[in-house]
Amino acid sequence: MLLESLFNNENECINKTNDKIGHFSFKKLLNRPLNICYIGAGYVGGTSSSVMAYKCPEKEVIVTVCDVDSRKIDSWNSDNLPIYEPGLEEIVRDRRGKNLFFTNDLDKSIYSADIIFISVGTPTKKRGIGANQAAELSYIESAARKIASVSRNSKIIIEKSTVPCKTAEHIRSILEANKMKNNYLDDGKLLKEYVEKDYSNKLSMSRSSSNATLNENDSVFEDNGNSNKNNDKSIHFEILSNPEFLAEGTAVNDILNPDRILIGGLPTKKGLIAQKILCKLYSYWIPEEKIIKMGLWSAELSKLTANALLAQRISSINSLSSLCEEVGADIQEISYACGLDSRIGPKFLNASIGFGGSCFQKDVLNLIYLSNYFNLPEVADYWKQVIIMNEYRKSRFIKNIFNKLFHTINGKVISIFGFSFKKNTKDTRESPAIAVVLSLLREGAIINIYDPKVPLVQIKNDIKENSDKEEYNEFISKITVCNSCYEASYGANAIVVCTEWDEFVSLDYKRIYNQMIKPAFVFDGRLILNHKVLKNIGFHVETIGKKLS
């Protein structure tokens, strides 16, 4: 309904420039709210959709998030969200049941949508061609096939997931080959019937209930026996790339106040119209100058490039941290000095035990695969070194623990402070803590772990996924997940700081020292502690990128 009217007779108001943020009205254009569907209720889909619903007027935009995982949807509809992000819980609670809905009814969500964001996972392939480098695109293909099979009217399809360049071409091929042609709906009549109804009764808006979702009979479009009319028409899908640039721990603010919004599309009439529509959607809270329109392939590659460049900065400073340890320089002083250069800037120049998370390693590996695929081995080798350096930084840190603990860890109690890959998230994907813990376990250590957000079941899953079946039971028997740093450090030989949680800075380390086995060691893998104070208490302190006299 939205696209047919605009593609065939572009509405004048879609071309008007907004006088101010949020001035544009979809309801005035359509005589109803705009229907948005997110396929995939994971980190990107759940967070992006929630903030979009929060910033768009309730009567202008309805956002529905669908996923085949019933447990995930149940969690989004409960008081225990599946992910942790500062500020997200309050936003979901404010909008859920008003203009934000979570459901596992994919058919109804897709059928009703004007715009569909594909926000499914694209993990690194574990086997087959491109194993350990290429992105696994089976979820993207499944989403495209579902869209084609359910849709009865034209839609804008948006890549929100991080994908290799040219993925939109594959999505388009699947949609075109499988789209409905003979069951096209009579949009004119349906729109008239729809507008005559009171929209407020179309949705179950149980504002007091935390389990608000779409009702079974709440289809935005109704067939009423008109499905065989206008058979000469064909559904059109216009594909855009709208990559996310979210940092875990600050994702809500990243969406509320982004550096930029990229909207990539084809330079065709319909492609340009689709870009304008998405621009209007974001204009509810984002200034026009921050919304950048570009080519489809440029937008796809921009996301991979951004993450690769950020990972490169971390690996660069980590490589220099190793040199600092040998020559007696201080990596924090060097980072500060270089960060003052306006050409460089201070961000992502903090040395650590290595980067983690769901994006950096995956996207760099994807870039390596693409470079090799297009016969650019020198380019692939350049980016491969970013991954090699990240692994080196972790192994060097682990080896230092072994050496300082008198070349034997067997039977010693090691307290791990933090298991998530960074603070303010419970995401543990590619967390350096996993490599540290597994290496210590293989040396016979007894591990006490404390993380304020990561639950026991998640830690067990990470250990299971990264160890042999024969090792797993032994490893789990040697791991205790504790409720505080004080509990985790009781009777320990050493503390290893793996995550930069703020609470680790303000602990009573004198109390901790008194309950540890002497000599008591602290290995600060995040450069967050006051090393001078710790040494005065009596700790043997080791860190990254400097020698402590």
Side-chain angles (χ1 to χ4, degrees):
M1 298 167 73
L2 168 64
L3 291 188
E4 274 74 27
S5 61
L6 293 176
F7 286 164
N8 297 325
N9 184 23
E10 186 176 356
N11 194 303
E12 182 180 343
C13 72
I14 200 71
N15 286 316
K16 291 182 179 178
T17 302
N18 292 341
D19 296 324
K20 59 182 179 179
I21 295 176
H23 182 71
F24 184 79
S25 173
F26 280 107
K27 192 170 184 180
K28 183 177 180 181
L29 175 66
L30 305 172
N31 292 318
R32 62 170 177 81
L34 181 72
N35 291 298
I36 304 293
C37 170
Y38 277 79
I39 300 179
Y43 183 85
V44 172
T47 308
S48 300
S49 61
S50 298
V51 176
M52 179 175 285
Y54 178 70
K55 295 304 294 184
C56 293
E58 292 179 30
K59 295 181 180 180
E60 292 283 344
V61 177
I62 302 294
V63 181
T64 302
V65 189
C66 59
D67 199 293
V68 295
D69 189 337
S70 298
R71 289 179 300 178
K72 190 179 294 183
I73 293 299
D74 290 343
S75 185
W76 280 109
N77 280 321
S78 73
D79 293 327
N80 184 26
L81 302 187
I83 64 173
Y84 172 74
E85 267 304 315
L88 180 60
E89 184 178 341
E90 293 78 5
I91 285 175
V92 173
R93 191 184 303 120
D94 180 76
R95 287 296 171 153
R96 191 172 54 200
K98 298 176 182 176
N99 68 332
L100 175 63
F101 300 90
F102 298 94
T103 178
N104 49 25
D105 191 339
L106 271 69
D107 287 10
K108 192 180 299 296
S109 304
I110 293 169
Y111 184 73
S112 303
D114 300 303
I115 299 176
I116 299 175
F117 288 86
I118 299 178
S119 54
V120 298
T122 54
T124 302
K125 287 184 68 175
K126 294 185 177 181
R127 56 187 175 184
I129 297 174
N132 301 316
Q133 287 188 350
E136 175 58 73
L137 299 178
S138 59
Y139 303 121
I140 294 284
E141 180 172 334
S142 295
R145 292 186 181 280
K146 173 61 77 171
I147 292 169
S149 68
V150 173
S151 297
R152 299 296 185 272
N153 62 298
S154 298
K155 302 178 187 296
I156 298 174
I157 311 300
I158 300 172
E159 297 173 328
K160 199 67 177 173
S161 304
T162 302
V163 294
C165 196
K166 295 288 187 176
T167 298
E169 202 170 75
H170 305 317
I171 294 174
R172 188 185 308 280
S173 296
I174 293 169
L175 291 173
E176 289 299 315
N178 294 277
K179 67 183 180 182
M180 298 296 294
K181 295 180 180 179
N182 296 324
N183 290 325
Y184 195 89
L185 296 181
D186 185 341
D187 287 342
K189 184 173 181 179
L190 285 179
L191 177 59
K192 183 176 184 297
E193 291 177 354
Y194 178 82
V195 172
E196 288 173 351
K197 296 187 178 182
D198 181 6
Y199 184 79
S200 64
N201 294 324
K202 292 294 291 179
L203 298 174
S204 174
M205 297 185 181
S206 180
R207 297 174 187 249
S208 61
S209 171
S210 63
N211 295 316
T213 187
L214 288 173
N215 281 338
E216 288 299 315
N217 297 319
D218 288 340
S219 173
V220 176
F221 304 115
E222 297 179 11
D223 192 326
N224 293 330
N226 295 304
S227 62
N228 290 322
K229 294 187 178 182
N230 297 321
N231 290 345
D232 58 319
K233 294 183 180 180
S234 180
I235 296 173
H236 178 76
F237 296 106
E238 192 60 39
I239 302 170
L240 302 178
S241 175
N242 176 221
E244 51 82 19
F245 296 96
L246 309 182
E248 295 196 40
T250 60
V252 170
N253 186 63
D254 293 339
I255 303 172
L256 290 173
N257 305 289
D259 294 327
R260 76 290 199 198
I261 294 292
L262 303 187
I263 301 176
L266 294 178
T268 62
K269 178 185 175 182
K270 293 180 179 179
L272 295 174
I273 292 171
Q275 284 181 307
K276 289 177 183 177
I277 292 171
L278 189 55
C279 286
K280 298 302 182 185
L281 177 61
Y282 278 116
S283 71
Y284 280 116
W285 78 96
I286 296 172
E288 187 176 358
E289 61 269 18
K290 285 191 173 185
I291 304 174
I292 312 300
K293 289 179 281 189
M294 59 174 55
L296 189 53
W297 318 129
S298 297
E300 286 184 335
L301 192 54
S302 290
K303 174 58 191 293
L304 291 181
T305 303
N307 278 345
L309 290 172
L310 293 174
Q312 179 197 50
R313 281 174 70 95
I314 297 173
S315 281
S316 295
I317 203 67
N318 277 341
S319 70
L320 294 169
S321 72
S322 299
L323 183 60
C324 287
E325 292 165 9
E326 299 300 326
V327 304
D330 186 328
I331 193 61
Q332 287 181 302
E333 293 179 344
I334 291 173
S335 297
Y336 177 71
C338 293
L340 292 175
D341 190 323
S342 60
R343 298 168 301 174
I344 300 172
K347 293 185 178 180
F348 286 85
L349 288 182
N350 296 319
S352 67
I353 50 177
F355 57 76
S358 63
C359 293
F360 283 2
Q361 178 161 308
K362 174 176 73 73
D363 291 351
V364 173
L365 289 172
N366 198 346
L367 201 57
I368 294 169
Y369 177 77
L370 283 173
S371 300
N372 281 322
Y373 179 83
F374 289 107
N375 196 28
L376 301 169
E378 292 83 3
V379 177
D381 289 343
Y382 176 85
W383 290 108
K384 190 181 297 181
Q385 194 61 38
V386 172
I387 300 296
I388 292 172
M389 183 52 60
N390 194 53
E391 295 304 310
Y392 168 75
R393 181 65 270 186
K394 286 186 282 189
S395 64
R396 181 179 172 89
F397 181 73
I398 293 165
K399 189 177 292 185
N400 191 44
I401 297 174
F402 177 80
N403 291 339
K404 296 301 179 181
L405 291 180
F406 316 110
H407 301 278
T408 179
I409 302 178
N410 188 41
K412 292 180 178 177
V413 178
I414 311 296
S415 177
I416 305 295
F417 283 13
F419 200 78
S420 59
F421 84 92
K422 64 185 289 189
K423 70 176 183 178
N424 293 332
T425 181
K426 60 181 180 181
D427 194 346
T428 59
R429 287 174 289 183
E430 304 296 340
S431 173
I434 298 173
V436 171
V437 168
L438 287 173
S439 296
L440 296 175
L441 286 169
R442 291 187 175 109
E443 291 293 333
I446 298 168
I447 304 294
N448 293 342
I449 300 173
Y450 169 70
D451 188 286
K453 292 297 178 183
V454 181
L456 171 62
V457 63
Q458 193 167 332
I459 292 173
K460 284 185 174 181
N461 286 338
D462 288 328
I463 299 300
K464 186 176 183 179
E465 289 180 5
N466 292 277
S467 60
D468 298 332
K469 291 181 180 179
E470 295 76 17
E471 296 177 313
Y472 174 69
N473 289 332
E474 178 188 354
F475 286 173
I476 290 300
S477 69
K478 292 184 176 181
I479 294 176
T480 301
V481 176
C482 304
N483 294 317
S484 70
C485 289
Y486 301 107
E487 180 186 347
S489 59
Y490 186 84
N493 297 84
I495 294 168
V496 180
V497 180
C498 290
T499 312
E500 70 280 20
W501 286 102
D502 292 340
E503 66 179 85
F504 297 162
V505 178
S506 57
L507 295 170
D508 184 348
Y509 279 98
K510 189 170 184 179
R511 171 187 168 185
I512 288 174
Y513 176 79
N514 290 334
Q515 66 183 19
M516 290 177 66
I517 294 174
K518 310 303 185 291
F521 289 81
V522 171
F523 297 90
D524 183 3
R526 292 293 183 172
L527 287 169
I528 61 170
L529 303 181
N530 189 322
H531 303 138
K532 184 177 180 180
V533 169
L534 292 175
K535 288 176 70 69
N536 288 339
I537 290 173
F539 283 104
H540 291 252
V541 182
E542 297 292 328
T543 189
I544 283 174
K546 65 178 74 175
K547 283 186 176 181
L548 300 176
S549 58

